[in-house]
Amino acid sequence: MTDVGASPRTRNAAATRAAILGAARARFSREAYDSVGVRDVASDAGVDPALISRYFGSKEDLFVEVCNTGDPSDLFDVERDQFGAHVAHMMLHEPQDSEKLDCFLIMLRSSASPKASEAIRVMGRDRFYDRLDAYIGGDSARVCARIVGAIIMGLSISRALVADFDLDEAQLTDMERRLADIIQRCID
Amino acid sequence: MTDVGASPRTRNAAATRAAILGAARARFSREAYDSVGVRDVASDAGVDPALISRYFGSKEDLFVEVCNTGDPSDLFDVERDQFGAHVAHMMLHEPQDSEKLDCFLIMLRSSASPKASEAIRVMGRDRFYDRLDAYIGGDSARVCARIVGAIIMGLSISRALVADFDLDEAQLTDMERRLADIIQRCID
DNA sequence: GCTAGAAGTCACCGCCTGTTGACATGGGCT
DNA sequence: AGCCCATGTCAACAGGCGGTGACTTCTAGC
């Protein structure tokens, strides 16, 4: 998505690497691993496809790198007693292409692709569930984290499948209230 | 998965079609649309790959057919006051390769594949959400159906990602109890 | 200003994919 | 029994894929 003029690309390895990584993150948060081609990513980044192999080794390595640099910490950036409301609002009202949701979207988009599932498993554990466990705390932390995680994943996939859940504004408000309640109950 | 002897396949168009459809359903419930090759499906069905094009037109048409013949009615085969417990038990204890879960698995596996997403959207609406709306009933049916649907989807994806949610038996029991409560509250 | 190496470009490889059409053959019908 | 169409087999195609290596070009450091 940088300049695409006839002039050759300015030489800056770090910026090029970052551009590829960013374009890859955006693509992988919208489509499944197998649906995304290296030529797509390169085109988005305004870069020659060969550079992907050069900088990251392979498409699979690039995907792992995307997973390893994902950061869902926005999720936990709130007081405990507002967690339910925070998550519910984020899942329903955050723009669908927001970077805040990238982590979850990437996980669910490619979870069914054998080549990507291992990296996803690791990302889910290290970058999401472990932190959610710690955030929730207490005896049932793991169980509650699994439930909250499932709800977040499910909301992401449902919303991605049909725009805004196919609900009107009033229904969305109702849904947000109910979800906030459900999630808050999980962590109390 | 039928006989693979040197003897040529017995000639039975209906059985062959059904074998392809069954193999495709199983494959699509385990992997994403783009990860599944027609040669994989044909091999599972013990059939020549060319027959897939012959009987269904294309891989995409085959996928649509799989979606159109899916049936999640096991979900609704229970009294209202047991719905939460029923769903929770099914999601946690039904074998992961059970046909009862095929519908949800197929939806989430391929929701990120552009070529498959339209068929998935239709299946989700006609075969799942509409029926869930009707089952729940009342003013907030649609909202509640979206929440229950999201939970089911999220549980499916989480469970598929890490075997049995990476929980021990006691934690699974705890999780089932909590989920049953959450879901039952949604429809009451 | 020159040089050496980093950065970017390009052409191409082998592989795999979905799909097709020509061909072989079994089995129901007369 | 014998025909003939439905059924199954096979080989091949075109296109797209990820990946590679040789080449050009820019630029930092002396």
Side-chain angles (χ1 to χ4, degrees), chain A residues 1-127:
Chain A
M1 291 296 183
T2 64
D3 59 336
V4 289
S7 62
R9 193 179 167 73
T10 66
R11 299 187 170 218
N12 183 335
T16 299
R17 223 189 106 98
I20 293 171
L21 201 57
R25 168 163 291 113
R27 275 274 176 182
F28 286 132
S29 74
R30 278 185 269 116
E31 291 177 37
Y33 179 82
D34 299 285
S35 302
V36 175
V38 293
R39 287 169 176 83
D40 300 329
V41 173
S43 169
D44 288 353
V47 147
D48 189 281
L51 293 182
I52 291 183
S53 295
R54 172 115 71 205
Y55 279 108
F56 296 92
S58 69
K59 176 185 168 185
E60 206 169 332
D61 293 330
L62 170 61
F63 185 78
V64 170
E65 183 82 9
V66 167
C67 287
N68 285 342
T69 54
D71 181 15
S73 54
D74 286 307
L75 198 70
F76 309 112
D77 198 17
V78 67
E79 296 297 323
R80 270 187 71 94
D81 61 350
Q82 290 299 309
F83 184 71
H86 173 65
V87 172
H89 186 270
M90 181 183 285
M91 297 316 297
L92 266 61
H93 293 299
E94 189 72 23
Q96 284 196 248
D97 56 355
S98 164
E99 291 181 4
K100 292 185 181 181
L101 303 179
D102 277 356
C103 243
F104 316 120
L105 291 174
I106 290 170
M107 279 195 269
L108 68 89
R109 297 289 190 200
S110 296
S111 67
S113 297
K115 290 176 189 168
S117 62
E118 181 55 27
I120 299 234
R121 209 188 317 277
V122 172
M123 173 166 70
R125 172 163 40 82
D126 296 349
R127 307 207 149 245

Side-chain angles (χ1 to χ4, degrees), chain B residues 11-13 16 48 50 54-55:
Chain B
R11 302 191 169 214
N12 183 337
T16 298
D48 189 280
R54 173 115 72 202
Y55 280 107

Side-chain angles (χ1 to χ4, degrees), chain A residues 30-32 34-35 107-114 117 120-121 124-125 129 139-140 142-144 146-147 149-151 153-155 157-158 160-163 165-167 170-172 174-176 178-179 181-182 185-186 188, chain B residues 30-32 34-35 107-114 117 120-121 124-125 129 139-140 142-144 146-147 149-151 153-155 157-158 160-163 165-167 170-172 174-176 178-179 181-182 185-186 188:
Chain A
R30 278 185 269 116
E31 291 177 37
D34 299 285
S35 302
M107 279 195 269
L108 68 89
R109 297 289 190 200
S110 296
S111 67
S113 297
S117 62
I120 299 234
R121 209 188 317 277
R125 172 163 40 82
Y129 277 120
D139 291 343
S140 300
R142 277 180 73 83
V143 169
C144 295
R146 293 306 180 283
I147 295 175
I151 292 175
M153 291 286 191
L155 289 172
I157 200 172
S158 296
L161 207 51
V162 295
F165 304 99
D166 205 16
L167 298 177
Q171 289 173 316
L172 280 176
D174 186 23
M175 185 167 173
E176 183 176 346
R178 288 168 182 268
L179 276 174
D181 184 55
I182 289 173
R185 278 173 172 277
C186 284
D188 285 339
Chain B
R30 278 185 269 116
E31 293 177 36
D34 299 285
S35 301
M107 278 195 267
L108 68 89
R109 297 290 189 200
S110 296
S111 67
S113 299
S117 61
I120 298 228
R121 209 187 318 277
R125 171 164 40 83
Y129 278 120
D139 291 342
S140 301
R142 277 179 71 85
V143 170
C144 295
R146 292 307 181 282
I147 294 175
I151 292 175
M153 291 285 191
L155 289 171
I157 199 173
S158 297
L161 207 51
V162 295
F165 303 98
D166 205 17
L167 298 177
Q171 289 173 315
L172 279 176
D174 185 23
M175 185 166 173
E176 183 176 345
R178 288 168 182 269
L179 276 174
D181 183 56
I182 289 173
R185 278 174 173 276
C186 283
D188 285 340

